[in-house]
Amino acid sequence: MSASAPVMAADLACLITKNNTNPFFVKMKEGAEAAATAAGLDFKAYAGEKDGDASPQLTAIENCVLAGAKGILITPSNDSVGPLLKEARDAGVLVIALDTPLADPEAQDMTFATDNFEAGLLIGKWAAATLGDAAADAKIGMLDINKDNISVDVARDTGFLVGFGIDVPDLTVMGSETDPRVIGHEISGANPEGGVMSVENLLAKEPDMNVVYTINEPAAEGAYQALTKAGKSDVLVVSVDGGCPGIASVKAGVIGATSQQYPLLMASKGIEAIVAYAKDGTKPVASEGLSFFNTGVNLVTDHPVEGVPSIDSDKGMELCWG
Amino acid sequence: MSKDGSPTKTISDFEAGLAKADANVASFAKDDRNLFYMMRGFLRAHPTTIPTLVLIVSVIAFGIIAPRFLTPLALSTVLQQVTVTGIIAIAQTLIILTAGIDLSVGAVLVVTSLIMGNLAVHMGVPLPFAVIIGMFFGALMGWLNGVLVAVIKLPPFIVTLGTLSIFTALKLWYSGSESVRNADIVEKAPGLLWFGEAFRFGGAKLTYGSISLVVVAVLVWFLLNRTAWGRHVHAIGDDPDAARLSGIRTRRTLISVYVLAGAICGFAGWVAIGRVGSVSPISFETVNLGSITAVVIGGTSLFGGRASIMGSVLGALIVGVFNTGLSLAGVDDYWQLFAAGTLVIIAVALDQWLRRASQ
């Protein structure tokens, strides 16, 4: 197959997400499907099962290549999918990582993602500024996805801590900080059940916890439930995602601030890139000064602070997904 | 009888009365009332017939409806995708043959691959030792299941439900919930990935893992069908009391079945590292159900006493063919699950029908 063939109805685009249960990926799928249909591409969506479990995604990549896909959009569960994606690229498939870059630059043509470190930085700065002088003896609980050091997980976690003003010696792994203000890192699985359990565990360690960082809004929902059950109402909960239910939580005061990202944009830009590649072989390029194509991030809060640019929950609602 | 036909009873003529008796020894009645019953008898005696037919028919059917399915690459990809499940299904067949079931197979696989990964990558243990130690721990976990089933006399379903949780806890504790990363394996212990290597010919890609599936199947088939141990295992599965009364050491044999199954799961752990490229503590959590599916579709009876190793491999292949075939035909993922579920129910119904053939 030559890369310069015109786009025909037979050109296939694949989307492989991490799972079918997180609304972020469900929305991404809808966005990609709509964009593919509009561009006259065949479209097929696959999903993994759990963060960190590569097996179902490996099977999906194989099946996409078998089906003769022109391009694969993937949110990798972990870096084990790298070698197979490299093979796909060698076979002339355009590979674009969405949301989560792959460690191996050879395994992808480009990443379309939120600057997740930036997303963490914004909520960290906001939390520190909101606490004011009390930030010096804050008690912070961290709700990560798991202990796998998935790139998104690491970037948001360390970004938040740096934004809060905590010294993080190693930005490539979670938990390298020694600051006593951090109570601990818990495995939330990025879902509500995990959020509940994580907060219960953290409160058992430190009943006076007053800041909770969460990897995403489903985990934040769970965190809030557990805090309410424990009778704690003065805890700052911050998150990342900006899905419509999450923005509603910001409005309701469940979440203090969240960094909103734009998965529909990732998906539609990804499909656009496949169309361009199918047409004349052009490949997407990175944003200025970054190693990936930045799809942007906004801090959403109804309690803005000095020095941290933000939009309110009404504006967030206009831009939200899910 | 005297020469002139007159009866001459002598004291030593005891057996003369047997002259008109049936000289045949006891045997199973052949049920050949009609073609239908003959077919049923044949299928009972040749359990791999149906899975073989189903596999051939489904390959042809998907070849017609799914573009690109009948290519060497697609077919060899199916083989790759079912390799780990297939090896686990062989271990599961051993357990199901003894009228048991093992829900802990996936957890055993992951524990052993974590041990191999940790020893070879993080502790610098030479590969053969890392693999042997990993498989030893697999056998040890099987031994624990076996003792609880054979000595403490607990139901296998409950035992392995318990050990599934226990081994899951151990794997999370042992790994700290962290993966052994692909980059580290490539750098420090590339031999762990050996089963992911492949021969390539004519577009096909045949991994050493897929070849190992065939080798394991042949070895276990030989053990079950050509050794005294294999006959004992069949006997225990068919009727444990009768087996014990006929002098088989049922407890020891039953434990040995679980130990062998555990060691096979340990080996599958090594193959799985080659397939996935890294070792994640949360992978392969549903391979236990996948293996039971393969065993049942392959014609092994869940009631024990009748098993088909080749059938289980065929069962795994059938599920793989359906998954890849439906995927290439553009059908959504959830219908693949639907198809596997339907196949299982049909297979069990068929097994029940065949069992009635012997009653």
Side-chain angles (χ1 to χ4, degrees):
Chain A
M1 302 269 285
S2 79
S4 59
V7 178
M8 296 188 310
D11 277 336
L12 170 70
C14 273
L15 172 71
I16 304 168
T17 51
K18 287 188 192 184
N19 59 53
N20 258 333
T21 48
N22 182 339
F24 182 84
F25 298 122
V26 177
K27 271 296 136 189
M28 191 182 265
K29 175 178 159 181
E30 287 170 14
E33 192 155 23
T37 309
L41 288 175
D42 275 350
F43 177 77
K44 183 130 181 45
Y46 296 87
E49 281 158 25
K50 294 189 297 290
D51 273 309
D53 181 4
S55 308
Q57 292 201 326
L58 291 171
T59 302
I61 296 165
E62 284 167 344
N63 290 349
C64 280
V65 174
L66 279 180
K70 264 275 169 234
I72 294 177
L73 308 175
I74 182 167
T75 55
S77 281
N78 70 18
D79 285 325
S80 303
V81 293
L84 204 53
L85 288 172
K86 227 187 279 188
E87 274 183 45
R89 287 187 66 203
D90 292 343
V93 181
L94 182 76
V95 174
I96 292 177
L98 300 183
D99 174 59
T100 309
L102 286 141
D104 181 359
E106 287 298 302
Q108 67 215 323
D109 289 290
M110 186 48 60
T111 302
F112 287 14
T114 308
D115 187 339
N116 281 294
F117 187 82
E118 171 75 8
L121 207 64
L122 286 171
I123 50 176
K125 283 181 179 165
W126 178 88
T130 303
L131 286 176
D133 293 343
D137 45 10
K139 303 217 175 343
I140 305 167
M142 305 292 292
L143 271 56
D144 299 321
I145 301 176
N146 57 28
K147 299 280 181 209
D148 233 357
N149 285 313
I150 299 167
S151 52
V152 173
D153 213 8
V154 175
R156 291 181 191 176
D157 169 299
T158 54
F160 166 82
L161 291 170
V162 169
F164 198 88
I166 285 168
D167 181 40
V168 182
D170 186 349
L171 290 177
T172 62
V173 293
M174 295 178 287
S176 68
E177 73 283 342
T178 51
D179 196 312
R181 287 179 291 177
V182 179
I183 306 162
H185 297 253
E186 289 282 328
I187 298 175
S188 75
N191 63 49
E193 298 90 322
V196 171
M197 258 186 316
S198 301
V199 165
E200 286 169 348
N201 294 343
L202 288 163
L203 282 174
K205 271 190 217 168
E206 176 51 79
D208 294 331
M209 175 165 71
N210 61 351
V211 180
V212 177
Y213 152 87
T214 59
I215 176 74
N216 68 353
E217 286 137 11
E221 284 300 322
Y224 182 77
Q225 295 299 330
L227 289 167
T228 311
K229 259 193 230 149
K232 297 188 68 75
S233 56
D234 53 347
V235 178
L236 282 185
V237 178
V238 292
S239 195
V240 178
D241 246 1
C244 298
I247 301 297
S249 297
V250 171
K251 224 184 193 30
V254 169
I255 296 173
T258 194
S259 284
Q260 185 170 48
Q261 49 175 346
Y262 302 99
L264 289 167
L265 194 62
M266 290 175 205
S268 58
K269 288 270 178 205
I271 294 289
E272 277 171 35
I274 293 176
V275 172
Y277 175 72
K279 201 177 283 166
D280 54 17
T282 45
K283 294 187 175 183
V285 288
S287 305
E288 193 72 34
L290 291 170
S291 62
F292 58 92
F293 184 95
N294 188 357
T295 50
V297 63
N298 280 312
L299 182 73
V300 182
T301 181
D302 289 335
H303 308 281
V305 292
E306 195 70 28
V308 190
S310 65
I311 58 177
D312 65 11
S313 60
D314 290 330
K315 182 73 186 154
M317 269 297 177
E318 283 171 37
L319 299 172
C320 74
W321 47 270
Chain B
M1 304 280 277
S2 65
K3 285 174 197 165
D4 59 0
S6 62
T8 52
K9 286 247 179 202
T10 65
I11 202 86
S12 60
D13 212 7
F14 293 122
E15 295 182 6
L18 292 174
K20 293 193 187 67
D22 189 344
N24 285 323
V25 284
S27 66
F28 289 108
K30 270 185 88 87
D31 195 352
D32 51 4
R33 275 169 287 181
N34 60 32
L35 191 65
F36 176 78
Y37 284 101
M38 280 167 69
M39 185 181 79
R40 187 157 83 163
F42 175 81
L43 291 178
R44 210 181 130 64
H46 304 87
T48 53
T49 312
I50 291 177
T52 307
L53 286 175
V54 172
L55 183 63
I56 292 169
V57 170
S58 54
V59 167
I60 293 169
F62 283 119
I64 294 165
I65 60 172
R68 300 166 198 261
F69 181 77
L70 275 184
T71 57
L73 181 62
L75 295 175
S76 60
T77 301
V78 171
L79 194 56
Q80 273 179 65
Q81 291 177 351
V82 304
T83 293
V84 174
T85 309
I87 296 174
I88 294 289
I90 292 168
Q92 189 71 264
T93 309
L94 286 166
I95 306 288
I96 290 179
L97 172 57
T98 65
I101 197 144
D102 192 341
L103 300 176
S104 69
V105 281
V108 173
L109 175 154
V110 176
V111 171
T112 53
S113 45
L114 283 166
I115 290 172
M116 291 174 193
N118 189 34
L119 292 178
V121 174
H122 297 312
M123 295 169 74
V125 175
L127 184 76
F129 293 109
V131 168
I132 288 166
I133 293 168
M135 283 180 67
F136 168 77
F137 274 95
L140 191 68
M141 287 181 273
W143 176 83
L144 177 67
N145 282 334
V147 167
L148 291 169
V149 170
V151 181
I152 319 284
K153 299 269 187 262
L154 303 174
F157 182 90
I158 303 300
V159 166
T160 57
L161 187 63
T163 53
L164 163 63
S165 295
I166 292 167
F167 301 155
T168 300
L170 289 176
K171 82 184 181 191
L172 294 173
W173 162 77
Y174 179 72
S175 65
S177 296
E178 283 185 48
S179 297
V180 183
R181 297 167 56 95
N182 179 257
D184 295 342
I185 296 176
V186 170
E187 184 192 346
K188 296 191 175 114
L192 281 176
L193 301 170
W194 189 74
F195 282 109
E197 306 277 322
F199 296 119
R200 290 166 195 274
F201 51 90
K205 182 178 159 191
L206 188 64
T207 60
Y208 296 142
S210 304
I211 296 165
S212 79
L213 165 65
V214 177
V215 173
V216 171
V218 169
L219 284 176
V220 175
W221 177 90
F222 180 84
L223 281 176
L224 277 183
N225 295 291
R226 292 288 182 273
T227 67
W229 178 84
R231 280 195 296 282
H232 293 175
V233 176
H234 275 98
I236 290 169
D238 210 26
D239 187 341
D241 292 334
R244 194 169 41 81
L245 293 170
S246 64
I248 294 171
R249 289 189 164 118
T250 49
R251 264 203 303 204
R252 189 187 293 187
T253 309
L254 199 50
I255 292 173
S256 72
V257 170
Y258 279 88
V259 169
L260 177 61
I264 293 171
C265 292
F267 176 73
W270 185 15
V271 177
I273 300 174
R275 163 74 186 153
V276 178
S278 63
V279 188
S280 163
I282 58 165
S283 53
F284 293 104
E285 283 185 344
T286 54
V287 78
N288 52 2
L289 302 179
S291 70
I292 295 167
T293 303
V295 172
V296 170
I297 291 175
T300 289
S301 171
L302 280 172
F303 301 93
R306 206 181 77 237
S308 165
I309 294 291
M310 294 308 160
S312 298
V313 175
L314 290 168
L317 280 169
I318 290 167
V319 175
V321 163
F322 267 77
N323 286 350
T324 303
L326 289 171
S327 166
L328 286 176
V331 178
D332 263 316
D333 285 8
Y334 31 78
W335 296 115
Q336 299 172 12
L337 282 171
F338 187 96
T342 310
L343 284 171
V344 165
I345 289 169
I346 292 171
V348 174
L350 199 67
D351 175 54
Q352 291 283 47
W353 176 71
L354 291 178
R355 283 171 58 79
R356 282 198 295 274
S358 61
Q359 286 161 10

